[in-house]
């Protein structure tokens, strides 16, 4: 059975603890922790690509605190970081909304956030290393009201309980990341110029929205600042901002395959041909011509004519006579 690197590392760490008898921690042998913040990202995939390391790249999944553990042998100074949203990744501030995107961090940094991502984008565009941090701060927080510095730019400001500065940094980081993603999605001809111009707009809008929220007594943990950006053909950027209540964010329901009720073909009663009673031609009794008894004319016996007589009669009629 082929074990994954992560499984092998867990085994090695266990053996190390057994070997030292469970004594005090040894920083050299402790797992390296990397952190992904938009706010903290849960179930995000973190990949380290390290030079001079035959086991590179390394991959791990973050927990609810945004942390992913890597073996003690990893040398952060040799590794770049890429955080990607995968199936199930969420920002803990918006647990019902899938998080989709990519965060980056340069070599030597174990936190990936919007500011470190901007750092890598500037780096990839050819901005000199010694100018990048100052350029990001000048664009996003020129007055220093939010607290973005060379240190906080790479810091874990997700743990902000009771820390107003970290809350402000988190609002700025969240708005910055989504604005940068929007700029790149619009595919400007000069992406670096568009990113710089967008950063200036985002910084000003977030600073203003934070001041309004504070003046209204709103806890920054309960809101997010959303900045919508539009890149123009000349690289200039138009932007609008607003503050949204995190408690009223739209909920994305899990994708549920619809229950398909099987189509039931209606039962068709067979067509019953009506029984046709055959037409019965009534039997016609033949017309019987009544027997006519012939009229019998009765035979009339002829009246006999008396033959002439020859006798002799003697009559007496007052005088007699003789006949012959």
């Amino acid at each position: 059975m082929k074990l994954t690197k992560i499984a092998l590392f867990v085994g090695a760490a266990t053996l190390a603890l057994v070997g030292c008898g469970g004594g005090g921690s040894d920083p050299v042998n402790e797992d390296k922790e990397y952190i992904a913040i938009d706010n903290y990202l849960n179930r995000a995939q973190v990949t380290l690509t390290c030079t001079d390391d035959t086991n590179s790249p390394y991959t791990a999944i973050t927990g609810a605190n945004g942390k992913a553990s890597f073996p003690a042998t990893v040398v952060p100074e040799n590794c770049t970081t890429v955080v990607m949203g995968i199936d199930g990744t969420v920002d803990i501030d918006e647990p019902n909304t899938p998080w989709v995107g990519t965060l980056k961090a340069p070599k030597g940094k174990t936190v990936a956030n919007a500011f470190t991502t901007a750092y890598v984008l500037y780096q990839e565009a050819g901005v000199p290393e010694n100018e990048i941090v100052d350029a990001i701060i000048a664009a996003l927080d020129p007055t220093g009201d939010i607290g973005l510095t060379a240190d906080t730019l790479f810091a874990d400001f997700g743990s902000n309980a009771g820390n107003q500065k970290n809350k402000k940094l988190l609002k700025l980081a969240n708005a910055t990341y989504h604005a940068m993603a929007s700029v790149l999605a619009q595919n400007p001809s000069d992406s670096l110029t568009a990113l710089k111009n967008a950063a200036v707009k985002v910084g000003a809008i977030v600073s203003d929205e934070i001041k309004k929220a504070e003046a209204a007594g709103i806890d920054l943990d309960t809101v997010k600042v959303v900045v919508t950006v539009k890149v123009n053909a000349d690289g200039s950027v138009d932007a609008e901002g607003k503050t949204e209540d995190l408690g009223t964010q739209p909920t994305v329901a899990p994708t549920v395959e619809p229950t398909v009720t099987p189509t039931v073909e209606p039962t068709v009663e067979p067509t019953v041909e009506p029984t046709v009673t055959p037409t019965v031609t009534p039997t016609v009794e033949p017309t019987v011509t009544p027997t006519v008894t012939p009229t019998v004319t009765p035979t009339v016996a002829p009246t006999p004519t008396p033959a002439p007589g020859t006798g002799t009669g003697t009559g007496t009629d007052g005088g007699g006579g003789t006949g012959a």
Side-chain angles (χ1 to χ4, degrees):
M1 178 178 68
K2 183 178 180 181
L3 297 177
T4 64
K5 290 179 182 177
I6 293 175
L8 291 173
F9 298 147
V10 171
T14 303
L15 290 173
L17 289 173
V18 172
C20 66
S25 63
D26 180 355
V28 176
N29 292 320
E30 287 182 350
D31 287 350
K32 299 293 193 304
E33 284 189 340
Y34 279 69
I35 301 171
I37 304 174
D38 186 26
N39 199 340
Y40 290 132
L41 297 181
N42 185 21
R43 285 194 52 77
Q45 178 178 286
V46 183
T47 301
L48 305 183
T49 302
C50 309
T51 57
D52 302 324
D53 188 339
T54 56
N55 290 318
S56 175
Y58 299 92
T59 299
I61 304 300
T62 61
N65 57 1
K67 295 179 180 179
S69 295
F70 292 91
T73 54
V74 166
V75 180
E77 287 72 22
N78 296 337
C79 305
T80 57
T81 306
V82 175
V83 178
M84 293 187 65
I86 57 175
D87 185 29
T89 303
V90 294
D91 174 339
I92 64 170
D93 272 349
E94 301 176 69
N96 295 316
T97 303
W99 189 89
V100 179
T102 303
L103 295 173
K104 297 182 178 182
K107 286 183 177 181
K109 306 303 178 183
T110 58
V111 173
N113 59 42
F115 309 136
T116 63
T117 302
Y119 187 101
V120 173
L121 292 174
Y122 282 35
Q123 191 179 49
E124 292 172 346
V127 177
E129 294 278 343
N130 61 347
E131 297 178 9
I132 296 177
V133 171
D134 289 342
I136 292 173
I137 294 172
L140 290 173
D141 189 21
T143 63
D145 290 342
I146 296 176
L148 185 61
T149 67
D151 291 329
T152 57
L153 192 149
F154 300 103
D156 173 12
F157 44 76
S159 179
N160 56 25
N163 187 323
Q164 192 69 1
K165 182 179 73 174
N166 280 359
K167 291 180 182 182
K168 291 180 181 181
L169 288 169
L170 189 58
K171 301 305 118 176
L172 178 60
N174 185 270
T176 298
Y177 171 72
H178 293 282
M180 288 193 303
S182 177
V183 167
L184 296 177
Q186 294 175 57
N187 196 28
S189 57
D190 185 348
S191 58
L192 179 60
T193 297
L195 285 170
K196 287 181 176 180
N197 289 335
V200 172
K201 297 279 188 176
V202 170
I205 290 173
V206 172
S207 178
D208 184 54
E209 292 294 322
I210 287 176
K211 288 176 182 176
K212 288 192 292 186
E214 289 179 326
I218 297 172
D219 184 352
L220 293 180
D221 275 343
T222 65
V223 297
K224 68 182 293 186
V225 180
V226 178
V227 180
T228 304
V229 296
K230 178 182 180 299
V231 181
N232 301 311
D234 61 357
S236 63
V237 172
D238 296 326
E240 294 181 352
K242 63 179 178 179
T243 298
E244 292 183 353
D245 185 348
L246 283 171
T248 59
Q249 291 298 305
T251 299
V252 177
T255 304
V256 178
E257 291 296 328
T259 303
V260 179
T261 304
T263 303
V264 179
E265 292 294 331
T267 305
V268 179
E269 295 293 334
T271 304
V272 179
E273 293 293 332
T275 304
V276 179
T277 305
T279 304
V280 178
T281 304
T283 305
V284 179
E285 295 293 333
T287 304
V288 179
T289 305
T291 305
V292 178
T293 305
T295 303
V296 178
T297 305
T299 304
V300 178
T303 305
T305 304
T310 57
T312 299
T314 300
T316 303
D317 190 10
T322 305

